Amino acid sequence: MILVTGGAGFIGSNFVLDWLENGATGDEPVVNLDALTYAGNLRNLAALQDDPRHIFVRGDICDRALVDQLLAQHRPRAIVHFAAESHVDRSIHGPGEFMRTNVQGTFTLLESARAHWTALPEAERAAFRFHHVSTDEVYGSLKSGAPAFTETHPYEPNSPYSASKAASDHLVRAWHHTYGLPVVTTNCSNNYGPFHFPEKLIPLMIVNALAGKPLPVYGDGQQIRDWLYVKDHCSGIRAVLQGGRLGETYNIGGWNEQANIDIVKTICALLDELRPDPAGPYARLITHVTDRPGHDRRYAIDARKIERELGWRPAETFDSGIRKTVQWYLDHADWVAEVQSGGYREWVEKNYATRTT
Ligand code: NAD
Ligand code: DAU
């Protein structure tokens, strides 16, 4: 049994599905603790309805009594901690919830895990893991031509989101050094793939293009991200959970640096091929808008440590992954329509209304 937090979100739901589909882990049930914020969606897990290997609990990671009770009841051998507020733009509009979930929530989980782990019999204590899922954004922004982030790169978070994740990474580190809690941390680059909430770049561009709406590129669009197909992130987490050294951090990335504008053009070209628009090429919808405040210019992950120690490399190329992703959104118009609820529309209004072109 493992306890996953945030398993109804984009990466968490992919992870739960992947875990239960995978031959090596599929027999091991998952308790999934998720508050179902705007970003959590049980439809992502529809394939697991009535599957006894998946126990869903709606709840908040800041609720210490609930977390204590789940650990006592299910005695998981590991916690894989995804739950977070994850959207940089939302953190700029309202940082408070990021501090609560990402910092206070991680603190609550660590304290609950520590109490639970301390009381375990020796064999279970030795096997227990707290896996903290984090981001490359904690390292800050890279200059053009600078080497990619290694695990020893200084922490230089620049947004309320990345600062809150950096704080959570530091808590996890301290709980290992001070209390001996058996932790591992992974810092991953930008994910994309199925169930990606359509306020993030790639799914937003797909759904806006299909609706004939502008494709809002922040600033000059030359900001660089290192994109990884979400299933590769899931396999990287499994590798670290299984074989990662205690107290260590592992960077996970796609060896795939691309400028935002090129990502958007690739999506447009794929849509031109797969769902041509009689009105003309989708690239006509590209619109440069006011930049994100404090926008990090470049992220790039050096993923050699996880490859050297654990033999992990991404399986998907960007060409194959982005094609699968665009096709997934074309095939799941019902999923998109459902998440584009009233709350989603309010967010789009808030984030884009004040941006000029
Ligand atoms: P997401 O926003 O899609 O999902 C977050 C999930 O956490 C949602 O299901 C939400 O309901 C849940 N949640 C939020 N607050 C909660 C709370 N207080 N208690 C319980 N559940 C709560 O996020 P994601 O993109 O799937 O990211 C998952 C994790 O991976 C995050 O920790 C994020 O920092 C990290 N990460 C994301 C990326 C990326 O590209 N998306 C890359 C690297 C690391
Ligand atoms: O690097 C990992 C991080 O990637 C994760 O830790 C975050 O949880 C995840 O949200 C993601 O953060 P980004 O800020 O990089 O993702 P986002 O999809 O919001 O933006 C990707 C790039 O695209 C970024 O440079 C901003 C730009 N962008 C985004 C939106 C929503 C636009 O140009 N236009 C847009 O409308």
Side-chain angles (χ1 to χ4, degrees):
M1 173 77 74
I2 62 167
L3 172 68
V4 166
T5 71
F10 163 47
I11 304 174
S13 61
N14 275 286
F15 180 82
V16 170
L17 292 166
D18 183 79
W19 180 270
L20 294 175
E21 270 164 20
N22 188 276
T25 51
D27 290 337
E28 187 170 16
V30 175
V31 178
N32 182 355
L33 172 62
D34 195 298
L36 296 181
T37 67
Y38 78 94
N41 185 354
L42 281 179
R43 270 192 81 163
N44 301 2
L45 299 162
L48 299 176
Q49 214 178 3
D50 304 325
D51 189 325
R53 297 172 304 163
H54 177 237
I55 301 163
F56 182 77
V57 179
R58 184 174 190 177
D60 192 325
I61 57 166
C62 299
D63 181 345
R64 173 71 193 266
L66 173 63
V67 178
D68 285 352
Q69 181 239 305
L70 290 175
L71 292 179
Q73 182 184 349
H74 298 289
R75 297 178 72 85
R77 69 163 175 104
I79 297 173
V80 186
H81 175 32
F82 294 92
E85 287 293 331
S86 71
H87 190 180
V88 174
D89 291 312
R90 283 187 186 254
S91 82
I92 294 166
H93 286 280
E97 196 53 28
F98 288 72
M99 303 307 135
R100 197 189 77 84
T101 285
N102 300 1
V103 184
Q104 184 71 29
T106 301
F107 165 70
T108 305
L109 279 180
L110 285 166
E111 277 296 81
S112 184
R114 180 166 76 89
H116 172 73
W117 169 76
T118 305
L120 288 174
E122 186 47 41
E124 283 179 62
R125 253 172 82 89
F128 189 81
R129 293 290 179 275
F130 185 104
H131 186 135
H132 179 55
V133 179
S134 193
T135 171
D136 58 359
E137 299 207 11
V138 298
Y139 299 127
S141 186
L142 283 170
K143 295 232 176 329
S144 174
F149 299 129
T150 64
E151 289 78 1
T152 55
H153 193 279
Y155 269 46
E156 292 170 342
N158 291 319
S159 72
Y161 163 69
S162 55
S164 69
K165 290 296 290 188
S168 68
D169 292 10
H170 291 324
L171 293 178
V172 170
R173 175 189 163 89
W175 261 242
H176 175 68
H177 279 267
T178 302
Y179 304 114
L181 189 70
V183 308
V184 283
T185 295
T186 44
N187 293 87
C188 189
S189 62
N190 284 63
N191 287 213
Y192 68 99
F195 305 120
H196 205 179
F197 196 77
E199 64 182 27
K200 305 283 178 80
L201 180 75
I202 287 182
L204 180 82
M205 295 299 151
I206 300 171
V207 305
N208 275 16
L210 290 173
K213 292 184 178 161
L215 307 180
V217 173
Y218 294 166
D220 63 4
Q222 293 301 330
Q223 305 83 3
I224 289 172
R225 298 290 183 268
D226 175 351
W227 293 94
L228 179 72
Y229 191 64
V230 64
K231 269 191 171 283
D232 280 325
H233 189 186
C234 297
S235 69
I237 291 171
R238 277 194 276 106
V240 171
L241 183 61
Q242 191 191 331
R245 286 181 293 130
L246 293 187
E248 291 288 318
T249 66
Y250 293 86
N251 284 352
I252 305 180
W255 298 107
N256 175 44
E257 284 185 61
Q258 300 221 33
N260 292 338
I261 188 69
D262 295 331
I263 295 283
V264 177
K265 286 179 179 167
T266 299
I267 291 168
C268 290
L270 277 167
L271 286 172
D272 287 338
E273 176 196 329
L274 298 170
R275 182 72 58 85
D277 182 349
Y282 288 99
R284 76 185 191 285
L285 299 170
I286 293 174
T287 310
H288 289 265
V289 299
T290 313
D291 209 350
R292 173 185 280 174
H295 199 171
D296 285 337
R297 198 68 182 161
R298 174 178 167 233
Y299 305 142
I301 281 282
D302 181 334
R304 282 180 295 180
K305 179 176 173 183
I306 186 173
E307 178 168 5
R308 193 173 58 244
E309 293 192 13
L310 302 170
W312 178 90
R313 267 191 77 84
E316 207 73 51
T317 65
F318 187 69
D319 284 353
S320 60
I322 193 67
R323 181 173 284 275
K324 278 187 194 174
T325 303
V326 170
Q327 190 63 56
W328 189 89
Y329 280 87
L330 289 173
D331 295 342
H332 293 81
D334 52 340
W335 182 91
V336 172
E338 195 191 282
V339 299
Q340 286 176 318
S341 63
Y344 176 83
R345 282 195 296 275
E346 273 164 37
W347 163 253
V348 169
E349 174 61 22
K350 187 180 198 179
N351 192 39
Y352 296 98
T354 53
R355 292 180 193 273
T356 52
T357 56

